[in-house]
Amino acid sequence: MIFLENEQICTSIASKGAELQSLKSKKNNVNYLWNGNPEYWGKFSPVLFPIVGGLKNNTYYFEGKEYQLPRHGFARDKDFQVKQLSATEALLTLSDDEESLKVYPFRFVLQLRYQLSDRAISCTYEVLNPDNEKSMLFSIGGHPAFATSTEGGLKYTDYFLQFNKDTELVYHKVKHDLIDSETAVIELKEGKLPLNHALFYDDALVLKTLKSDCITLHNHKNKNGIHFRFKNFPFFGIWAAKNADFVCLEPWCGLADGTAHDQHIEHKEGIVTLGPNETFVRKWEVECF
């Protein structure tokens, strides 16, 4: 486990999956991240790579060959190497190996960089294609789960998400872990989405047209919350396990397969093509208050 801290916040990161596992304010001793209770969902903030979501029959095809990958890929279950470490910054790295090449036929270097600044932590994804000739195809995304406290009389329904640029959410429905073409709309009064457990009984809200680049998680009874900032992620997911007291805010470069997808990875919606020796960078940030 890796520990970072400054005068405002402290955090812990597991080398397995390079997963952020706590985010605490020194001022109020609040842990803003979900506690990983396995009765509901035993993760905290997994890294989604080299796919986001599920594949149809957990299978894809590339250059005439068949491959299998589990939902959200393999990075979240791999041990990352710590390449740089200071009091307020950590760089963790995962590279292709013989095992990964059997299920994902691309060379890669995946780096996660965590940095603390005042009351905020940023997570930067750096994907490098070390191949001199071959492009790599991939998706990547975040899955951080933020706690909704039930202390002091708080209930899940006391919480809401505030969107900085949206007045409605058009979301695609999920059917058998795949993205359906059917959509539904949630109107946002003053940009707010009130939370209730039933929102997620049919899986995540999958958003393809989100305008906001900052979502605030807040409640009606105290002053504690987070600002979640992100840019250049074309898709977004909002999810919670059934009746669990958290909400995941998930910026994605990529999606689960659509129900009509032909399973060829080069045709997958949102797939990123990274040329030889190129680097891809995306970042999200959480500011605590």
Side-chain angles (χ1 to χ4, degrees):
M1 195 70 72
I2 298 160
F3 300 95
L4 305 178
E5 68 174 304
N6 62 16
E7 294 180 354
Q8 300 284 342
I9 58 175
C10 57
T11 187
S12 60
I13 302 157
S15 57
K16 182 181 179 181
E19 185 178 20
L20 182 67
Q21 294 201 347
S22 67
L23 176 58
K24 294 182 180 180
S25 165
K26 290 185 176 182
K27 182 178 179 180
N28 58 23
N29 201 35
V30 169
N31 182 11
Y32 289 88
L33 217 61
W34 165 243
N35 61 19
N37 182 347
E39 290 185 17
Y40 295 95
W41 189 60
K43 296 184 181 296
F44 307 84
S45 180
V47 179
L48 315 183
F49 177 89
I51 59 169
V52 169
L55 301 171
K56 188 182 289 188
N57 300 321
N58 294 319
T59 301
Y60 71 94
Y61 299 92
F62 181 68
E63 294 184 340
K65 294 183 179 180
E66 178 182 304
Y67 299 91
Q68 279 79 40
L69 279 174
R71 192 179 193 187
H72 295 321
F74 52 70
R76 61 183 181 168
D77 296 315
K78 294 284 191 178
D79 290 322
F80 282 63
Q81 300 297 313
V82 180
K83 292 296 185 181
Q84 297 174 18
L85 183 61
S86 69
T88 60
E89 183 174 346
L91 180 67
L92 298 95
T93 298
L94 178 70
S95 301
D96 62 272
D97 57 23
E98 185 176 340
E99 182 180 354
S100 74
L101 289 169
K102 292 177 182 177
V103 296
Y104 179 66
F106 302 96
R107 296 186 60 209
F108 70 89
V109 178
L110 170 62
Q111 298 190 144
L112 264 74
R113 187 182 302 274
Y114 291 99
Q115 295 172 293
L116 305 188
S117 177
D118 197 27
R119 296 176 301 170
I121 183 171
S122 62
C123 173
T124 304
Y125 304 123
E126 302 172 5
V127 183
L128 295 79
N129 178 5
D131 200 295
N132 293 322
E133 299 179 357
K134 182 179 177 181
S135 293
M136 65 176 288
L137 303 175
F138 72 96
S139 296
I140 192 164
H143 203 313
F146 299 102
T148 54
S149 174
T150 55
E151 296 179 358
L154 275 169
K155 303 185 295 293
Y156 195 72
T157 50
D158 289 322
Y159 283 83
F160 61 89
L161 298 176
Q162 177 77 57
F163 294 79
N164 71 332
K165 295 180 182 178
D166 289 275
T167 58
E168 65 177 16
L169 299 180
V170 179
Y171 68 94
H172 285 255
K173 297 187 176 182
V174 179
K175 295 185 178 180
H176 307 293
D177 294 337
L178 304 179
I179 309 300
D180 196 68
S181 59
E182 182 183 358
T183 60
V185 180
I186 300 174
E187 299 295 336
L188 302 178
K189 187 176 181 180
E190 297 179 339
K192 291 183 174 65
L193 175 66
L195 291 186
N196 68 80
H197 291 304
L199 269 175
F200 311 110
Y201 283 175
D202 294 325
D203 213 317
L205 305 180
V206 176
L207 309 172
K208 297 184 181 182
T209 57
L210 189 69
K211 300 181 183 70
S212 294
D213 56 15
C214 180
I215 300 173
T216 298
L217 173 63
H218 205 357
N219 68 76
H220 297 290
K221 292 191 175 179
N222 66 36
K223 297 180 180 180
N224 298 331
I226 59 121
H227 299 301
F228 187 78
R229 300 186 178 95
F230 52 98
K231 285 186 177 180
N232 299 317
F233 289 89
F235 311 108
F236 203 91
I238 306 173
W239 176 80
K242 189 173 182 178
N243 296 329
D245 291 321
F246 68 82
V247 62
C248 287
L249 301 178
E250 307 180 37
W252 298 334
C253 291
L255 286 169
D257 279 357
T259 53
H261 182 48
D262 65 8
Q263 296 180 266
H264 290 270
I265 193 171
E266 63 270 28
H267 301 155
K268 188 172 173 60
E269 185 175 9
I271 200 75
V272 179
T273 301
L274 191 63
N277 299 307
E278 290 184 351
T279 301
F280 172 98
V281 180
R282 292 293 186 276
K283 181 171 75 171
W284 52 261
E285 178 187 88
V286 185
E287 181 185 0
C288 306
F289 62 86

